[in-house]
DNA sequence: AAACTGTGTGTAACCGGTTACACCATAAAG
DNA sequence: CTTTATGGTGTAACCGGTTACACACAGTTT
């Protein structure tokens, strides 16, 4: 690989002039510019990104810290972030933490050493005291971490209300809510929305815990339905647990949506593959990721953010697990 | 942040000595080592990774170039790669190409400028002439690109044979194969395995094209079954298209596995969520990714690879879409 | 006593960019 | 005819590490 000094020598100018041409910064004469561009062309010169990073203290990389990319909710987020980043000339570093605080710390430390310009953070850890110490821009996604970091979240409460109202509209008299992990703001908000509506409309309800995983959901739902055979509607805090509920219902010999109707939450591709396909609250996952990335890049470029909390709308997607005529 | 020169000054030694302590390289006296370690501790010094990279021409980063992380097959791969990389002290850069050659080029160029140490490549492009020019270690995953790059693939043909034999064992008399994209070695190998068995056993068969996407699969399967109502078994080249086939069958008012039995390929989590859960050929996706990452790192560290092609076994996972008693 | 060998340490060049600063034109203003 | 503004360029320091090389000292060999 040729260096800027090779180019300078070839073009009979100084490295400063070459650098000025490269960065379109400072005074350069037409002739000098031409001869430099020709030299760059002839030598197939590409500036060394690492040397630039060292001086500028900016790597044009942003990190995506996520609990587990294997969770079907995250790839779409990652995709959006990657798309936006690329269009602004940033590269994305992938970090899986399993919500392990130590791993998170380790990553943050390594990332800082590499001069990453910003971090998109999805985590359940609350005590990010050392994160706050870091002077790197951070955007939280899907959950609110602290007032210090801008966050992008879905209209969880609103979505949950739509889901619950829809079940009631479809004739459900006893609705269960499979809630998500305790402490997760998104799950809490969905619970809140659910409770508001059932209380408001005076519909019988019950809430049980899940950890957002499929197997656990089967187990929980099975027990739930054995204990309460009159349940005729389930609002599940995510699509995976909704799939688990469907499996449990099927195992018990009941039918969806005839005996029990279900509404999920997320709008991941899985939903449409189930039989019947899943009525769900669709989050604009891609939009969330894209917005998060844009906000992060704005911060990196020192553009002031107007707000600290951004919400993206949710939408009721009526499909086959509720009895109003949907696409299924 | 303090630098190595700060540490040297604080410890009253030269930067060379500090560097020797850091890298455990060269002669350092016990006393010098102690005073340096104390200085590092006191100043909370962390070496600057970028400066190291500049000199060493190694960033301890590896890139994962994938068509689309949104495809449920890739996250698990990515996860495995990330886990192994982390354990060896490497960071993973995520690159989505959409199989777009230009994007691929752009990435490779940027990556090279950043001194990425190696690339894990999943692509359908064949003409990677400039990739061959690059002097960066590359490992191909899931598909064979050229003899120049070591590759990790599943036992596709063998898996396809197991799938087909299983359908025959379960009593199928007319088996369709939903093949994957033309030109994709893994899809070709699965087709080969299928054809071998149906020819060998003299079972009626038909092959149709899919592009590995859900909607397309519904469409193709619907037409297929309308044209050939006597089909009683389907071997699908991946789990997503198997899900599409199930949806199509359901739409046509037929039942799985009673009217038509299905075997998929991949073993992604989706399979167990379907009702009935999907009998499939399980690839050790995680193992593939982990092996790929290990091979890449070996190459980076100049350890000679014994082989150029590594295969990981596939396994028949009997569940609910075939009639032998499975877990469903 | 001279010649090695093995330890231990420091100086300064190097990796490949960016840029502060000095300097030299030339033209316009006073 | 000086002063000043503006365009254009080069030198060298700097970012923060690594390491070649020179050198110093002690203990062994001949």
């Amino acid at each position: 690989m040729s260096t800027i000094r090779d180019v300078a020598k070839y073009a009979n100018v100084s490295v400063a002039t070459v650098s000025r041409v490269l960065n379109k910064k400072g005074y350069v004469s037409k002739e000098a510019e031409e001869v430099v561009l020709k030299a760059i062309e002839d030598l197939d010169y590409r500036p060394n990104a690492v040397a630039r990073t060292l001086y500028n203290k900016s790597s044009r990389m942003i990190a995506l810290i996520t609990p587990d990319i294997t969770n079907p909710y995250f790839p779409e987020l990652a995709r959006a972030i990657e798309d936006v980043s690329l269009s602004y000339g940033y590269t994305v570093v992938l970090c899986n933490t399993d919500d392990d605080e130590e791993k998170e710390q380790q990553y943050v430390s390594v990332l800082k050493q590499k001069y990453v310009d910003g971090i998109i953070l999805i985590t359940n850890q609350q005590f990010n005291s050392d994160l706050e110490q870091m002077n790197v821009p951070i955007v939280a996604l899907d959950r609110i971490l602290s007032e210090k970091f801008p966050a992008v979240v879905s209209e969880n409460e609103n979505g949950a209300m739509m889901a619950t109202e829809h079940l009631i509209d479809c004739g459900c008299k006893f609705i269960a809510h499979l809630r998500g992990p305790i402490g997760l703001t998104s799950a809490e908000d969905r619970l809140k929305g659910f409770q508001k509506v059932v209380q408001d409309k005076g519909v019988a309800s019950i809430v049980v815990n899940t950890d957002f995983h499929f197997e656990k959901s089967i187990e929980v739902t099975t027990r739930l339905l054995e204990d309460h055979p009159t349940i005729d509607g389930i609002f599940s805090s995510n699509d995976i647990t909704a799939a688990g509920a469907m499996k449990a219902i099927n195992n018990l010999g009941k039918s969806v949506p005839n005996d029990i109707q279900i509404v999920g939450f997320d709008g991941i591709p899985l939903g449409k593959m189930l039989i019947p396909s899943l009525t769900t609250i669709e989050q604009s996952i891609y939009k969330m990721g894209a917005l998060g990335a844009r906000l992060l890049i704005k911060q990196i470029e020192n553009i002031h953010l107007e707000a600290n909390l951004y919400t993206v709308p949710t939408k009721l997607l009526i499909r086959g697990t509720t009895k109003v005529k949907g696409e299924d």
Side-chain angles (χ1 to χ4, degrees), chain A:
Chain A
M1 277 306 276
S2 44
T3 74
I4 196 171
R5 283 167 235 268
D6 298 333
V7 175
K9 205 164 287 169
Y10 186 93
N12 264 313
V13 296
S14 73
V15 293
T17 301
V18 177
S19 182
R20 287 187 195 107
V21 171
L22 284 173
N23 300 301
K24 304 190 200 339
K25 216 186 231 175
Y27 297 117
V28 181
S29 67
K30 260 261 158 304
E31 304 85 63
E33 185 180 348
E34 269 167 29
V35 68
V36 167
L37 289 176
K38 171 115 178 37
I40 289 173
E41 178 84 36
D42 286 359
L43 301 179
D44 189 30
Y45 166 72
R46 318 210 139 259
N48 180 309
V50 177
R52 278 188 165 165
T53 297
L54 181 58
Y55 189 91
N56 297 325
K57 300 188 187 315
S58 154
S59 61
R60 295 202 80 78
M61 294 194 305
I62 70 180
L64 170 59
I65 299 188
T66 151
D68 181 8
I69 190 76
T70 275
N71 177 329
Y73 175 82
F74 294 128
E76 198 173 341
L77 226 41
R79 184 61 214 258
I81 292 164
E82 214 262 331
D83 285 352
V84 171
S85 298
L86 183 62
S87 78
Y88 285 89
Y90 288 84
T91 306
V92 175
V93 173
L94 180 66
C95 312
N96 288 111
T97 61
D98 294 313
D99 271 326
D100 171 349
E101 196 162 351
E102 200 181 331
K103 242 173 149 184
E104 231 170 65
Q105 311 267 339
Q106 194 188 341
Y107 264 124
V108 169
S109 160
V110 170
L111 293 172
K112 198 172 175 183
Q113 281 174 59
K114 287 193 190 290
Y115 286 141
V116 260
D117 293 335
I119 298 178
I120 291 189
L121 188 60
I122 314 176
T123 176
N124 295 324
Q125 301 305 128
Q126 302 288 14
F127 322 91
N128 299 84
S129 49
D130 28 307
L131 271 185
E132 302 200 355
Q133 310 297 332
M134 282 195 63
N135 42 355
V136 177
I138 293 182
V139 168
L141 240 52
D142 194 38
R143 33 211 99 169
I144 300 162
L145 281 183
S146 109
E147 330 71 48
K148 297 214 29 167
F149 308 132
V152 181
V153 298
S154 274
E155 284 187 338
N156 288 303
E157 188 173 330
N158 203 33
M161 291 177 68
M162 289 193 288
T164 315
E165 278 163 5
H166 178 61
L167 283 169
I168 294 172
D169 289 349
C170 290
C172 294
K173 302 296 180 207
F174 184 9
I175 306 178
H177 175 47
L178 307 182
R179 61 154 298 165
I182 291 165
L184 202 62
T185 54
S186 57
E188 302 287 0
D189 288 348
R190 291 172 201 172
L191 171 63
K192 237 181 273 172
F194 172 75
Q195 286 178 324
K196 251 191 201 168
V197 172
V198 289
Q199 272 159 30
D200 201 51
K201 305 240 173 174
V203 173
S205 71
I206 184 171
V207 173
V208 289
N209 293 326
T210 75
D211 57 0
F212 271 169
H213 288 104
F214 181 70
E215 275 79 11
K216 179 70 179 265
S217 170
I218 297 182
E219 190 190 313
V220 166
T221 308
T222 304
R223 202 156 357 103
L224 176 71
L225 293 177
E226 282 168 356
D227 292 352
H228 305 274
T230 56
I231 286 172
D232 58 0
I234 295 179
F235 166 46
S236 175
S237 199
N238 84 5
D239 285 346
I240 299 286
T241 47
M246 285 174 71
K247 184 64 97 174
I249 292 168
N250 184 264
N251 289 348
L252 292 171
K254 296 194 178 191
S255 135
V256 176
N258 291 329
D259 301 325
I260 301 178
Q261 302 186 60
I262 299 186
V263 178
F265 205 111
D266 275 354
I268 59 177
L270 163 71
K272 63 174 185 277
M273 300 183 188
L274 295 172
I275 299 173
S277 53
L278 182 65
T279 295
T280 192
I281 302 296
E282 183 184 44
Q283 302 190 64
S284 304
I285 303 180
Y286 190 93
K287 256 187 211 157
M288 242 175 83
L291 178 58
R294 268 195 300 269
L295 290 177
L296 184 64
I297 292 171
K298 271 193 182 175
Q299 281 190 87
I300 291 171
E301 295 175 352
N302 275 315
I303 299 171
H304 181 72
L305 301 185
E306 313 85 56
N308 204 44
L309 181 62
Y310 294 77
T311 58
V312 298
T314 49
K315 195 175 110 191
L316 174 63
L317 214 66
I318 300 172
R319 291 195 287 214
T321 55
T322 51
K323 277 194 238 164
V324 166
K325 193 177 158 30
E327 72 175 42
D328 210 29

